Amino acid sequence: MPYKKKVTILSAAAVLLALVYLLTLFFDPQRASARAASFTWLSSSARDLADGMDIIRNGQTLKLVLSNGIWFAQLENLEVPVKQGRIDDLFRLLSTRGAFPRRGSSAASHEGLGLGEGASRLLVRGGAGLPLLDLFVGKDDPSGREVFLRKAGENEFRSGDKLIASYVNGEKTSWFDMKFFDEKSLNLVQRVDVQFNGYTGGEDPPEVYSDYTLERSGENWLVGNAAVDREKTETWLRSLLEAQGENILPPVPFDILAKITLGLGDGSVLSLQIGAPGEDGKYPALVNGKNYMFVLSPWMVTRLLRDRGSFF
C-alpha cells in the first residue's frame, strides 16, 4: 500500500476514534447527570447589584442593608453592624456553580418538602423592583445531607448544600457583629479607670469592690504606686478589647453597676457601662459611640469586672 494512502487511512481512523470517545463522554449517564446538577442561584453580575436582603423565618423578617459599602441589620430604627465576612460567604455560596440536582417539578410536592409559601425564605434585593433572588428553603432531603430549594414563582425544585439553610434558619444574632470596640492595639492603652457602684462580684459573703486605676509605666502597670503583675493585667486588657455581647437591643435606661474607661495614646477614650441585671439574669451594657445596647451574660460580666487584687 502506498505510504500516503496508509497515512490517510490511519489519520481517518484516529479522527473516528477521537469522535467516538468524545461522544461516549458526552452521553455518559454520570457525566450527563453532573451537568444537569450543576447550577447557580445568583449570577455574579446580580451579586454586584445587591444592596439588601430579607431573611424570613417563622414569620419574622431580618432586614440586611448595604450602606456606604458596609452591611447592617435593621433593628427597629437602628442600623446594627453585621459580620461582613458572613455576608461574603453567603454570596459566594449563592453565586458559585455547584451541585444542585433537579428533584422534581410537581407543585403538589411543595408543601411536603417544606417549600410552600410559609417556608423559610431568602430575598436578595438590588434597588427597586423584583428581587434578584427569591429562594424558598425547605426540609432536609431523605439522606439528611442536603436541603430542598425552590425559586419563588417556579414549580421546579432542587436540593443542595445544607449550609444555605444555616444562613436562613439560624438565629438573627448569628449575623450581628457584637464586639464592644473596633480593633484596637493593646499598646495604645495607657490608662484604665474602673468604677463600681455596689458591685460585689457575686461573692458570698458580699464584698463591695473598690474603684481603682491602672496606669502604664514603661513596660509595667501600676495601681497607685504599686506595680501589678504585667501578664495578668495585659491578659485582662486583651479580653476587654476583644469582648463581645450575646445580643444587641435598642437602648433602654438602666442603673449603672460599673464603668470601665480606657484612655488611649492617640487621645481617644473608650468606655463601657454595665447595668444591673434584669429578671432574666442578663446585664445591659452601653459603649460610647454606639447607639444600641449590648446584652451580656453573667459569665462575661464576671470576666470583665475584676477586683484590683486580681492583678497582683
Side-chain angles (χ1 to χ4, degrees):
M1 181 181 295
Y3 175 75
K4 289 185 177 180
K5 186 175 182 180
K6 184 182 293 186
V7 170
T8 301
I9 292 173
L10 291 175
S11 297
V15 170
L16 180 61
L17 288 172
L19 181 61
V20 170
Y21 177 71
L22 290 173
L23 290 173
T24 301
L25 288 178
F26 185 80
F27 289 106
D28 179 72
Q30 290 186 340
R31 290 180 178 271
S33 176
R35 287 195 299 273
S38 180
F39 189 79
T40 182
W41 295 101
L42 189 70
S43 68
S44 56
S45 59
R47 185 260 178 272
D48 293 338
L49 295 173
D51 60 11
M53 282 192 285
D54 292 354
I55 299 174
I56 303 170
R57 171 178 174 262
N58 296 332
Q60 302 293 317
T61 301
L62 173 65
K63 288 187 174 292
L64 305 177
V65 295
L66 183 66
S67 177
N68 297 321
I70 304 295
W71 284 89
F72 295 89
Q74 290 185 332
L75 184 63
E76 296 185 6
N77 61 338
L78 303 175
E79 285 189 343
V80 173
V82 298
K83 299 170 184 173
Q84 305 301 304
R86 185 173 172 83
I87 295 283
D88 292 339
D89 290 343
L90 174 56
F91 274 123
R92 189 177 301 111
L93 180 60
L94 294 173
S95 58
T96 299
R97 187 166 293 276
F100 294 96
R102 182 179 180 275
R103 296 302 188 187
S105 59
S106 171
S109 303
H110 293 171
E111 287 296 334
L113 299 176
L115 295 173
E117 292 301 313
S120 296
R121 195 168 180 175
L122 171 65
L123 285 83
V124 179
R125 303 188 181 279
L130 295 175
L132 303 171
L133 175 65
D134 188 350
L135 182 65
F136 289 98
V137 180
K139 299 177 180 179
D140 292 354
D141 77 341
S143 72
R145 295 190 295 270
E146 297 185 339
V147 65
F148 289 109
L149 302 159
R150 176 175 74 90
K151 284 188 177 181
E154 297 182 5
N155 288 333
E156 179 184 89
F157 52 90
R158 294 173 176 266
S159 66
D161 198 331
K162 285 180 65 175
L163 189 56
I164 292 179
S166 71
Y167 287 104
V168 177
N169 291 325
E171 295 297 329
K172 67 179 182 181
T173 52
S174 65
W175 291 96
F176 296 163
D177 184 350
M178 292 188 283
K179 295 191 297 293
F180 298 158
F181 307 116
D182 299 332
E183 189 170 335
K184 297 290 184 181
S185 169
L186 172 63
N187 293 330
L188 275 177
V189 181
Q190 301 298 311
R191 177 187 174 102
V192 186
D193 293 303
V194 184
Q195 300 170 283
F196 299 103
N197 185 23
Y199 180 71
T200 66
E203 296 177 1
D204 188 19
E207 180 179 344
V208 178
Y209 285 15
S210 300
D211 301 347
Y212 60 89
T213 297
L214 287 164
E215 288 191 278
R216 187 186 291 274
S217 176
E219 296 296 318
N220 300 311
W221 290 90
L222 304 176
V223 172
N225 294 321
V228 295
D229 187 292
R230 177 183 174 186
E231 183 177 351
K232 291 179 180 179
T233 301
E234 295 192 345
T235 296
W236 173 73
L237 282 173
R238 288 190 191 94
S239 68
L240 176 60
L241 292 171
E242 297 169 1
Q244 57 185 330
E246 64 176 34
N247 199 0
I248 290 176
L249 296 174
V252 295
F254 59 75
D255 295 328
I256 298 176
L257 185 68
K259 182 178 180 180
I260 302 174
T261 306
L262 291 83
L264 307 184
D266 59 6
S268 60
V269 174
L270 305 176
S271 72
L272 170 67
Q273 296 182 68
I274 300 175
E279 294 181 358
D280 60 356
K282 303 298 177 67
Y283 294 73
L286 291 175
V287 172
N288 63 319
K290 301 187 186 298
N291 61 351
Y292 46 84
M293 182 177 76
F294 293 99
V295 176
L296 311 185
S297 67
W299 173 84
M300 177 59 73
V301 172
T302 301
R303 182 184 181 193
L304 296 178
L305 298 183
R306 307 287 296 276
D307 182 35
R308 72 170 68 200
S310 62
F311 300 111
F312 287 93

